[in-house]
Amino acid sequence: MAKPKVFATHPLFGAARQILQEGCDVEYWAKPERPPREEVLRRVKDKEGLICLLTEKINDELLRAAPKLRVAANVAVGFDNIDVAACTKRGVVATNTPGVLDETTADFAWTLLMAVARRLGEGEALARSGNWKGWDLDQLVGTDVWGKTLGIVGFGRIGRAVARRASGFQMKVIYTDAVHARVELERDLQVEFREMNALLAESDFISAHVPLLPETRRLFDAPKFHRMKPTAFLINTSRGPVVDEAALVAALESGKIAGAGLDVYENEPFIHPGLKRANVVLAPHIASASLETRTKMACMAAENVVALFQGQRPANMLNPEVLKR
Ligand code: GLV
């Protein structure tokens, strides 16, 4: 019997290709640049499976172009690029990669936090410039991290992993979320719940860990920046549109907040020019980018596809109701 045809919009990693090779006939996008939209639409025409990155929109247009599609596997935990309802309507299973990137993403939230607090971007530029004149008492003085208050907005797996790392820095950790964590978990992680406004007013560092949803779009807006301490920093490794970027630039320019560490942007890969300032550390959406974790993400997506074609339930279905019919 012919193997089901799959299009992968990336060559993935060897370990993921190995998972796919036996049961699927996979066409890989192998060029270093991302595939143009027309190319994706053209290649999905005869495919039953799609493995895609978060840069591809899985919407009505794509689903119309892929009448045989049965599964769209995102190599990412965030799935705001997928119109899940449209997939469900057409009986296409959509999957993501939860769980495998929590610790790596939490590491990177801390990387940004430390870098912006201790002015690492500026320091690195000076060290490389050839203009460094040597140690000076008031050179690139930053802000202490240890002993401060960390506010976590969104207390899911990644938010909790960020919280766990704070104890070594003797920090007070507060969090806000639509749901309270269990009392035992709060006790184990030594965290306290706050309403959003209280968290904004109390935190020295605020780290965002919410999914992009209609209710979290532009969650961080001008009134929120107004409530933050002028000495506070915003860290965002979640999704760019969670922050009103123009309002963030205005807050940074007017000194309403002290700085930001950003991995994600409203209109990637465009970065608002007003963010390219000394008190902002910028990264190009790499929070989950360790070889170990990106390999696990690709393998997980591959396993989701293979499971479906073997008549099993993929482990990470976003619309399990499709298989209940
Ligand atoms: C990366 O941003 C992801 O959602 O996995």
Side-chain angles (χ1 to χ4, degrees), residues 54 75-79 97 101 237-239 264 285 288 294 297:
L54 56 82
V75 189
V77 65
F79 54 90
T97 62
L101 49 76
T237 52
S238 63
R239 280 294 182 267
V264 288
H285 203 151
S288 66
R294 287 284 168 91
M297 289 163 67

Side-chain angles (χ1 to χ4, degrees), residues 16 50 86 115 136 141 191 266 300:
L50 172 66
D136 207 347
V141 291
V191 298
E266 259 190 299
M300 204 168 190

Side-chain angles (χ1 to χ4, degrees), residues 277-308:
R277 41 188 302 127
N279 56 347
V280 180
V281 171
L282 302 169
H285 203 151
I286 54 170
S288 66
S290 70
L291 181 59
E292 298 93 325
T293 289
R294 287 284 168 91
T295 303
K296 282 184 201 152
M297 289 163 67
C299 288
M300 204 168 190
E303 278 158 6
N304 284 326
V305 167
V306 168
L308 185 95

Side-chain angles (χ1 to χ4, degrees), residues 85-159:
C87 288
T88 306
K89 212 164 84 194
R90 290 171 191 267
V92 174
V93 170
T95 66
N96 69 337
T97 62
V100 289
L101 49 76
D102 305 340
E103 303 298 332
T104 303
T105 303
D107 281 352
F108 200 75
W110 274 94
T111 304
L112 289 175
L113 188 158
M114 304 282 284
V116 71
R118 298 300 304 273
R119 304 178 65 178
L120 181 62
E122 293 168 88
E124 226 243 355
L126 178 60
R128 285 172 187 260
S129 70
N131 296 327
W132 183 43
K133 304 286 190 293
W135 196 91
D136 207 347
L137 188 62
D138 58 354
Q139 188 171 70
L140 287 175
V141 291
T143 305
D144 269 334
V145 171
W146 76 273
K148 296 285 176 64
T149 297
L150 170 63
I152 296 179
V153 176
F155 207 55
R157 289 180 305 262
I158 299 173

Side-chain angles (χ1 to χ4, degrees), residues 5 35 41 52 62 88 125 154 158 170 209 249 291 301 311 313 319:
K5 290 187 175 186
L41 296 180
C52 60
L62 183 131
T88 306
I158 299 173
Q170 302 161 55
H209 300 287
V249 169
L291 181 59
R313 295 176 72 74
N319 50 359

